[in-house]
Amino acid sequence: LLSFREFLFIETGEIYPVYDFASSTLPVQPDSKILFLFRKYREYGTRPVYNQDNFEEKALELLNEVFYADIPFFLQSVTEENLRLMKAIANTLLTSGSLKIPVRQLCSEWSIGAEKLYQLLRVMESSGIIKIIRAENDTKIMTAGSKLFLADSCLYRAYAFNEDIEREAFATMCFSQLGYEIEATKNNGNLIITTSLRKGYNRYILDIAGNGKKTRQYDYLLKDNTDLPVDKTIPLWLLGMMW
């Protein structure tokens, strides 16, 4: 998936530095043009086909290609019914405004065992369709996670999307691209990111919000519709500059 930084290069020809999360050094000053382009990136900028017409249609075609070409190639035991179920799961995440899937209901409707359903979820995650977020310290092998997101947050824009879910999916996408371990806090479901890359072990509790929300017991607040980092508040556009 393209980063906002790569999207900016395609749009402007400028190569900006990579942003180091929680750093006070900005890769670029967020003027009106940068923030305008970030809004466009959030809508359609994660894939190189964005400059073609009908991005939503193209994005959904790519999703179908993963289901019906990539997955059967690498997992030859998958059945047509399995593929239809996986597509139904993706559609549920897109249209329901929910971060979870009804495991028992799906098992009943599709006459499938829970273990098989969890296996299909892992296949969807390995194929880059979804991201499963476990609760902190959850070590269960079989799980639908505490939260389920589409791995490409732009796909939410192809439907009448929930802004809160899209924001969290965007943050999850960005940290996933850098290899962070991502979990959900047990009490309020905010994100915990952990990395042991380069600069040693780091663990942060993150809250994600639109305008008007202040940091309390969180390490950082990831905030939409704002331009500059202040104290423990980090604008969402900076996450797109991390790779």
Side-chain angles (χ1 to χ4, degrees):
L1 299 175
L2 290 175
S3 66
F4 178 45
R5 180 172 165 269
E6 292 166 329
F7 178 81
L8 284 175
F9 172 69
I10 296 173
E11 289 292 305
T12 69
E14 296 289 338
I15 301 176
Y16 296 107
V18 173
Y19 173 67
D20 188 3
F21 178 67
S23 169
S24 60
T25 302
L26 294 179
V28 59
Q29 287 297 320
D31 58 20
S32 58
K33 180 179 179 180
I34 292 293
L35 297 177
F36 171 78
L37 288 173
F38 179 61
R39 290 193 294 272
K40 294 302 180 185
Y41 169 72
R42 289 268 293 280
E43 292 177 12
Y44 52 66
T46 54
R47 297 180 185 271
V49 297
Y50 78 82
N51 57 1
Q52 302 178 16
D53 292 334
N54 300 317
F55 169 78
E56 291 85 355
E57 181 180 330
K58 294 289 185 183
L60 294 175
E61 285 176 3
L62 287 171
L63 188 60
N64 282 330
E65 188 171 337
V66 176
F67 281 124
Y68 294 109
D70 296 345
I71 290 177
F73 180 80
F74 290 105
L75 186 68
Q76 296 180 6
S77 62
V78 72
T79 67
E80 179 70 22
E81 194 74 356
N82 293 159
L83 293 172
R84 290 179 59 238
L85 173 54
M86 287 190 281
K87 189 172 181 180
I89 291 170
N91 287 337
T92 296
L93 295 177
L94 278 170
T95 60
S96 69
S98 174
L99 294 173
K100 296 184 178 181
I101 58 169
V103 172
R104 291 184 180 180
Q105 179 182 334
L106 287 173
C107 288
S108 176
E109 290 178 354
W110 293 82
S111 300
I112 190 174
E115 181 176 350
K116 183 65 175 181
L117 178 60
Y118 294 139
Q119 290 174 349
L120 295 179
L121 289 175
R122 290 204 303 272
V123 169
M124 292 177 71
E125 185 170 44
S126 299
S127 303
I129 297 171
I130 63 172
K131 178 66 178 176
I132 301 172
I133 306 298
R134 294 170 173 263
E136 57 184 318
N137 304 318
D138 177 7
T139 58
K140 296 191 298 288
I141 296 175
M142 298 294 182
T143 181
S146 175
K147 301 182 180 186
L148 282 175
F149 294 108
L150 293 169
D152 180 358
S153 63
C154 279
L155 289 173
Y156 288 97
R157 302 272 176 158
Y159 286 81
F161 66 99
N162 179 295
E163 290 187 3
D164 291 334
I165 291 176
E166 185 272 340
R167 270 194 291 265
E168 201 164 350
F170 174 76
T172 298
M173 176 188 76
C174 292
F175 288 114
S176 295
Q177 291 294 309
L178 272 78
Y180 280 81
E181 179 184 353
I182 307 172
E183 299 171 301
T185 55
K186 289 183 178 179
N187 295 330
N188 51 26
N190 292 305
L191 298 182
I192 304 171
I193 60 168
T194 306
T195 179
S196 57
L197 302 177
R198 293 195 300 272
K199 297 184 178 181
Y201 179 86
N202 291 305
R203 181 179 185 274
Y204 305 107
I205 298 176
L206 307 176
D207 189 16
I208 304 171
N211 280 330
K213 194 166 184 179
K214 295 182 180 180
T215 308
R216 293 182 181 174
Q217 71 268 37
Y218 316 110
D219 294 314
Y220 290 100
L221 174 68
L222 307 180
K223 194 172 180 181
D224 207 357
N225 302 314
T226 190
D227 50 1
L228 294 171
V230 179
D231 296 327
K232 296 298 184 179
T233 299
I234 299 177
L236 278 186
W237 71 268
L238 281 171
L239 303 189
M241 303 293 288
M242 294 193 301
W243 79 99

